[in-house]
Every structure is written in C-alpha cells, then in structure tokens.
C-alpha cells in the first residue's frame, strides 16, 4: 500500500503538466488510513470472535473434561463394582459347582441306595415266598391235603401281581404250572369219608346177626294171610249158595297159617363160619360195640390222614360183617357198600412238590 506509482514521462507540448508528487501522496493517505482502520477493525473483530470461540471451546473443553472425569470416575466405580460382582459371581459359581458336585455325589449315592433297597425288597419278597411255600408243603405233607399248598401258591401269585416286577414274570409262570399240577392230583375227600363212616356206625345197631336172623318175607306173607281170611269171613255172604266157598276159604287160610307157623319153627341157613352161631345174645351187644369202636377208630384215622390205619380198620370191619352178620339183609349190604367206598377213597396220594416255583425263585435270587 505504501508504494508510489511513478508518473509517466511527458511526451509532447500538448499534454498537461502533472501535479507534483506531494499532492498526489496527500490524496492517498486518508484512503490508506481508512483502509488500515478497516483492516485493523476487521482484525480486531476477527480476533475478538476468535477469542470468543476459543473461550467457548475452552469452556466446552473444560465442561467435557469435567464430564469425562465424572464419567471416568463413574466408569471406574462401575468397573470396580463389576470387578467385585465378577469376583462374587466367580465365588458363587465356584460354590455352586462345589454344591453341584456334592449333589451329583449324593444323587449317585441315593441311586445306589435305592437300587440296594430295591434289591433288598426283591430279595425279601422272594425269600418270604420261598419260606411260605416250604411251610405250606410241610403242612400238605402232614395233613395229606393239597389246600395249604394251593393257597400258598395263589397268595404268592397275588403278591407278585401287586408287586408288578417284570423280571419276576418267570416266577409267576412257574407258580401257575405248579398250581395246575397240584390241582390235577386227586386228594381224598375227608368230609365224604367221615360221613360214610358215620352212616355205617349208625347202621351197626340195626344189622341182623346170623344167630338172630330176621324173619323171611314169605313167612310174613303167610302170617298176613289169616288176617285176610278173617276179614273175608267177617264180610257178610252175598248169597246162601256161597257157604261152600266160604268154608273152603276158611279151611285154606287155616292150612296156610299152620304151614307158616311150622316153617318158622325150622330154618335152614348156610353158615361159612360156625363161630357166628356161637354168639350168645348177651355177647351181641359187645360184638356191635367192638364193631363201632373199630369204625370210630377208622374215622379218627381218616381225620388224621392215616390212611394205612383206615384200611386196616375197614378191612377188619368188613370181616366182622361177613362173619357175624346176615349178608342177605339189605342193611348189611348197605353197610358193606359204605365200607367198600371208604376203603376205595382212603388212599394215600403223593402230593407234587412246587419244584418249578422253587427253582424260579432260586434263579431270581441269583440273578437279582
């Protein structure tokens, strides 16, 4: 701005004369001053604006720095808390892992205990069934009846059905086979045999002895004919001409009566054992009582399942009936038939053993 433009050199006489340099300089100075003032004002404005911006930036920086410090403090606090939380979480996780390991160990021990208890329960059930079957077998052997064994097998089957253990199905099948085999064996009917012996004992007092035989049927008919003749004689005659027939009937009835009485005086009987006729009337009572005692002994033997004794007593009773009593009598025949039925029914029957069930129980105990 301070440079002075040099005036051109005069070329001719017609050109005007240039003012002097001092005058020209005086005209440019205010402009320069004004320009300088404007530049200074603009510079001051720009400087003031820059200073304000710098101040605002400083304030913003200070504020942000404060915010950053606050956030940094909070971040450090949060980080510290997070670190503490992480440590606590790690401690809790460690504790939970330890507890989980303890629970796993306890679960394993509990499963082992449950399996042990289950095995013990199975073993107890099988041992109880085995003991019950052996006791029932002894009772069946002593009493000669299959009912105790059948009842024990059914009870064992019901118990296993309620227990519902699949591995014990083989035992249930063995029990079913043993029940069928035991039921197939014919066992003496003790009640029926006792009733037959009681009936035979009742008939003893009514049995006729050979020495005191019953009157025959034709004798009874002959004895009843005089009564019919007497009834015919008491009836009035239908006509006077019937007196000859009436006399003839009376004579015939009288002859039949005489013949019947004569036949009762003498009776011919075949006796295979002569000692039967030697039984005195006062000895007949003791003979009947001895026969009753023998039959009562047979009845007691039936109740106690001593079938050999029953056979001996029944055979002795049959021999007494054949030797001392009238075999042609109907009562004697009935008593003899009863004794034969008792002898046929009182047979010792070997009861089968529940071997299949016992073997299945042993296998189940061994397999567990």
């Amino acid at each position: 701005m301070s440079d002075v433009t040099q005036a051109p050199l005069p070329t001719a006489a017609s050109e005007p004369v240039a003012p002097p340099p001092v005058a020209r300089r005086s005209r440019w100075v205010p402009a320069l001053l004004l320009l300088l003032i404007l530049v200074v004002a603009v510079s001051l404005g720009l400087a003031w604006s820059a200073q304000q911006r710098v101040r605002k930036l400083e304030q913003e920086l200070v504020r942000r720095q404060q915010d950053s410090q606050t956030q940094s403090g909070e971040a450090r606090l949060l980080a510290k808390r997070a670190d503490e939380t992480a440590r606590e979480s790690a401690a809790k996780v460690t504790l939970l892992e330890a507890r989980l390991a303890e629970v796993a160990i306890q679960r394993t021990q509990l499963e082992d205990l449950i399996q042990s208890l289950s095995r013990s329960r199975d073993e107890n059930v099988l041992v109880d069934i085995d003991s019950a079957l052996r006791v029932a077998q002894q009772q069946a052997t002593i009493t000669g009846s299959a009912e105790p064994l059948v009842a024990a097998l059914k009870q064992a089957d019901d118990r296993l059905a309620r227990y519902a253990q699949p591995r014990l199905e083989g035992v249930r099948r063995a029990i079913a086979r043993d029940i069928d085999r035991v039921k197939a064996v014919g066992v003496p009917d003790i009640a029926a045999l006792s009733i037959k012996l009681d009936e035979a004992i009742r008939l003893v007092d009514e049995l006729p002895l050979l020495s005191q035989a019953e009157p025959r049927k034709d004798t009874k008919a002959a004895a009843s004919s005089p009564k019919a003749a007497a009834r015919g004689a008491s009836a009035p005659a239908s006509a006077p001409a019937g007196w000859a027939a009436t006399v003839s009937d009376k004579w015939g009835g009288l002859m039949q009566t005489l013949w019947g009485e004569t036949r009762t005086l003498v009776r011919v009987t075949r006796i295979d054992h002569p000692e039967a006729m030697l039984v005195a009337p006062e000895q007949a009572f003791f003979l009947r009582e001895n026969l009753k005692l023998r039959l009562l002994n047979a009845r007691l033997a039936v109740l106690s399942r001593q079938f050999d004794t029953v056979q001996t007593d029944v055979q002795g009773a049959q021999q007494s009936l054949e030797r001392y009593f009238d075999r042609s009598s109907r009562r004697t025949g009935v008593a003899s038939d009863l004794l034969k039925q008792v002898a046929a029914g009182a047979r010792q029957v070997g009861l089968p053993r529940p071997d299949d069930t016992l073997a299945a129980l042993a296998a189940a105990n061994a397999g567990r």
Side-chain angles (χ1 to χ4, degrees):
M1 297 296 292
S2 62
D3 293 341
V4 178
T5 306
Q6 295 181 1
L9 295 178
T11 58
S14 60
E15 293 180 358
V17 179
V22 177
R24 288 197 297 264
R25 289 175 184 166
S26 60
R27 285 184 299 175
W28 288 97
V29 171
L32 291 174
L33 290 175
L34 181 60
L35 181 59
L36 182 59
I37 291 169
L38 290 174
V39 170
V40 171
V42 171
S43 299
L44 290 174
L46 292 174
W48 183 80
S49 175
Q51 186 179 3
Q52 291 295 326
R53 292 180 62 188
V54 170
R55 184 175 297 174
K56 290 181 179 180
L57 289 174
E58 289 178 353
Q59 292 177 355
E60 184 69 21
L61 288 175
V62 171
R63 187 179 62 79
R64 290 188 178 183
Q65 186 179 4
Q66 291 177 354
D67 294 340
S68 298
Q69 289 178 355
T70 303
Q71 292 177 358
S72 177
E74 293 177 354
R76 284 196 297 272
L77 182 60
L78 292 175
K80 185 177 180 180
R81 291 181 178 176
D83 189 14
E84 293 177 354
T85 304
R87 290 179 182 176
E88 292 177 357
S89 299
K92 290 181 179 180
V93 169
T94 305
L95 181 61
L96 288 176
E97 288 179 353
R99 294 285 180 85
L100 183 61
E102 292 178 359
V103 170
I105 294 173
Q106 291 177 358
R107 181 180 178 182
T108 304
Q109 294 176 353
L110 184 60
E111 289 178 353
D112 294 339
L113 180 61
I114 291 174
Q115 292 179 359
S116 177
L117 290 176
S118 178
R119 288 194 297 269
S120 299
R121 183 184 177 189
D122 295 347
E123 292 174 1
N124 292 333
V125 170
L126 296 178
V127 169
D128 290 343
I129 293 175
D130 185 85
S131 301
L133 289 179
R134 294 186 184 277
V135 171
Q137 183 179 353
Q138 292 177 358
Q139 292 178 354
T141 303
I142 293 172
T143 60
S145 175
E147 292 300 326
L149 187 58
V150 174
L153 289 172
K154 289 183 178 179
Q155 184 179 3
D157 185 63
D158 294 339
R159 187 173 182 181
L160 293 177
R162 291 193 304 269
Y163 191 55
Q165 190 74 337
R167 72 184 188 88
L168 300 180
E169 290 298 325
V171 180
R172 293 192 62 191
R173 290 193 292 270
I175 289 175
R177 291 195 298 270
D178 285 335
I179 289 175
D180 294 337
R181 189 167 66 252
V182 171
K183 286 184 176 180
V185 177
V187 180
D189 191 353
I190 304 300
L193 295 178
S194 300
I195 292 172
K196 291 177 181 178
L197 287 174
D198 290 338
E199 184 66 20
I201 293 171
R202 187 187 65 80
L203 289 175
V204 169
D205 292 331
E206 302 176 1
L207 299 179
L209 292 171
L210 287 175
S211 58
Q212 298 175 358
E214 291 181 335
R216 299 172 62 178
K217 293 182 179 180
D218 53 356
T219 306
K220 293 181 180 180
S224 61
S225 60
K227 298 181 180 179
R231 286 195 300 267
S234 61
S238 58
W243 64 272
T246 302
V247 172
S248 177
D249 292 338
K250 287 181 179 181
W251 179 257
L254 179 60
M255 293 302 295
Q256 287 182 354
T257 302
L258 292 176
W259 176 245
E261 293 295 333
T262 303
R263 292 184 62 183
T264 57
L265 295 177
V266 179
R267 181 180 179 184
V268 179
T269 304
R270 179 181 176 83
I271 299 176
D272 297 329
H273 304 283
E275 64 271 15
M277 296 303 298
L278 299 178
V279 177
E282 60 272 11
Q283 293 179 348
F285 172 77
F286 297 101
L287 178 62
R288 296 180 190 274
E289 294 300 322
N290 288 332
L291 182 57
K292 287 182 182 180
L293 289 177
R294 187 176 290 273
L295 293 177
L296 286 174
N297 190 23
R299 186 176 184 277
L300 291 176
V302 166
L303 294 177
S304 60
R305 274 78 176 180
Q306 298 177 1
F307 297 111
D308 295 336
T309 305
V310 174
Q311 295 292 337
T312 302
D313 292 334
V314 169
Q315 289 178 3
Q318 287 179 338
Q319 291 176 2
S320 297
L321 287 178
E322 293 176 358
R323 178 171 296 181
Y324 298 105
F325 293 90
D326 186 7
R327 286 176 290 179
S328 62
S329 174
R330 183 181 61 83
R331 297 188 185 94
T332 306
V334 172
S336 179
D337 292 338
L338 290 174
L339 293 180
K340 289 179 181 179
Q341 294 175 7
V342 172
R347 299 291 181 182
Q348 186 69 36
V349 179
L351 294 175
R353 292 169 50 88
D355 294 331
D356 292 348
T357 302
L358 296 177
L361 290 173
N365 276 324
R368 291 191 179 92

